[in-house]
Amino acid sequence: MTLLLVALGVVLIAFAVYDIFETLLDPEDQGRLTDWVSWITWKICRKGPLSFLVYAGPIAYVAVLGSWAVLVVIGGALIYLPFLPESFVFSSNLVEDERTGFLTAIYLSFVTFSTLGYGDITPTAGWLRLVGPAQSLIGFFLLSAAITWILAIYGDIGTRRNLAHETTLLMETLENRGIHLSDLPSETIENLLGQMTSRLVNLTGSLEQFPITYYFRITDDRQSLAVMVLFLCELSDELSKESLPKEVRLQAGMLSGALDHFAESLQGRFLTIGSGASTRELLEAYAADHRRTIHQPSEDC
């Protein structure tokens, strides 16, 4: 029984550490636990009022951190439990009932994990004296990583909002002033499309590195990429016409490719609408999943 509890505790801690590694350090993946917790949080929040959906991302972030902490704390408790009280020295203030049991093991594990180190329970066995500092290191790393992770998340969200807002301003200016991009000088169009393509490529990479950012819904439609990415789809379609200079069509084709890659990054992980779905169908599903109204219906890109 002792070996079983210790083995189970090691497995829980190892699973948490592996998920932390995949989520925070792997540039091309996210931990399975992180994926599952984020997805469940999003689905629950989508069933509530629209105003509550904006909290899905922050709640998912806290829930993921909490899940990691719970796994490490319970794992540590299972390792300590079989050796209580024989392999520990206790403060004289602790009565006999406070020296045994699962709650005592949880307390010891949580205090160790949080690096508080009250010193009222101290291991005497050599290998247990190594487990404590190792657990404390995991707790310290998780605290530091949590701060770095949230800064990276909100950095990506800020970049996404800026691109969406700039796209909104472009769309409103074209509509309000009756300007057609195809009538502008080729160099102007190329620069505009190049900037849009470059930033969309960066955002696609950020989404693949930090998939949890998908679940941060922006309230303002003007700053929501889920809305404005459909306008970029319209833009690439309009500027791909054979009547335009080849340089413009080249940049439009690159923007269309960036949109394709962005849509592909949504398929499977966030959206499941069939493997044969077009880019426009995926982008419309993206808008619908964020409970956005689609304003510009048109043909596929």
Side-chain angles (χ1 to χ4, degrees):
M1 187 65 177
T2 297
L3 290 178
L4 180 61
L5 288 175
V6 172
L8 181 57
V10 170
V11 168
L12 290 179
I13 293 176
F15 177 71
V17 170
Y18 181 71
D19 199 80
I20 293 170
F21 173 83
E22 275 202 315
T23 300
L24 302 181
L25 300 179
D26 190 337
E28 296 182 352
D29 202 359
Q30 180 169 270
R32 298 296 175 266
L33 177 63
T34 304
D35 267 339
W36 184 80
V37 170
S38 301
W39 183 81
I40 290 294
T41 302
W42 177 255
K43 292 302 180 183
I44 293 175
C45 290
R46 282 193 84 252
K47 294 181 179 180
L50 183 60
S51 59
F52 188 63
L53 191 57
V54 71
Y55 299 108
I59 292 174
Y61 169 80
V62 173
V64 169
L65 293 179
S67 300
W68 291 337
V70 167
L71 285 175
V72 175
V73 169
I74 292 179
L78 292 176
I79 294 174
Y80 300 136
L81 180 61
F83 303 98
L84 286 171
E86 292 83 3
S87 298
F88 293 86
V89 174
F90 298 87
S91 168
S92 58
N93 296 326
L94 294 177
V95 298
E96 290 297 326
D97 291 343
E98 296 174 337
R99 300 184 181 190
T100 59
F102 187 65
L103 287 180
T104 299
I106 285 287
Y107 163 78
L108 173 60
S109 181
F110 185 72
V111 168
T112 304
F113 171 75
S114 61
T115 69
L116 292 176
Y118 290 136
D120 51 348
I121 305 177
T122 307
T124 56
W127 72 276
L128 283 175
R129 295 174 68 183
L130 295 177
V131 172
Q135 191 180 13
S136 296
L137 285 175
I138 295 174
F140 179 76
F141 173 78
L142 182 56
L143 175 62
S144 303
I147 297 173
T148 304
W149 192 27
I150 195 63
L151 292 176
I153 287 173
Y154 276 100
D156 286 347
I157 292 173
T159 302
R160 194 175 305 172
R161 292 178 67 170
N162 290 341
L163 174 59
H165 202 171
E166 288 180 16
T167 306
T168 299
L169 293 175
L170 174 62
M171 182 184 70
E172 292 176 347
T173 301
L174 294 175
E175 290 179 351
N176 295 336
R177 302 192 179 185
I179 300 173
H180 294 281
L181 276 179
S182 55
D183 296 334
L184 298 177
S186 297
E187 184 176 350
T188 301
I189 303 175
E190 292 170 35
N191 289 336
L192 178 63
L193 292 179
Q195 292 176 15
M196 294 292 185
T197 301
S198 177
R199 299 182 68 177
L200 186 59
V201 167
N202 289 335
L203 288 177
T204 302
S206 297
L207 182 62
E208 291 176 349
Q209 184 171 5
F210 299 112
I212 196 173
T213 57
Y214 176 88
Y215 304 108
F216 284 74
R217 184 183 189 273
I218 306 302
T219 304
D220 191 347
D221 280 357
R222 295 171 301 177
Q223 298 182 10
S224 172
L225 191 64
V227 175
M228 298 318 303
V229 74
L230 290 167
F231 174 72
L232 293 179
C233 192
E234 301 281 349
L235 204 63
S236 67
D237 187 52
E238 178 185 348
L239 298 175
S240 297
K241 296 177 180 178
E242 290 294 330
S243 58
L244 295 173
K246 60 183 180 181
E247 294 83 5
V248 172
R249 287 186 280 118
L250 173 64
Q251 290 293 340
M254 292 180 66
L255 176 59
S256 179
L259 287 165
D260 292 341
H261 294 165
F262 178 75
E264 289 169 6
S265 70
L266 300 176
Q267 175 66 306
R269 166 164 270 164
F270 308 110
L271 306 172
T272 53
I273 62 172
S275 57
S278 66
T279 293
R280 169 161 288 277
E281 289 171 336
L282 286 168
L283 297 180
E284 289 178 347
Y286 173 38
D289 195 39
H290 279 249
R291 296 176 64 176
R292 301 289 185 181
T293 302
I294 301 172
H295 300 292
Q296 302 101 5
S298 75
E299 300 177 358
D300 292 346
C301 290

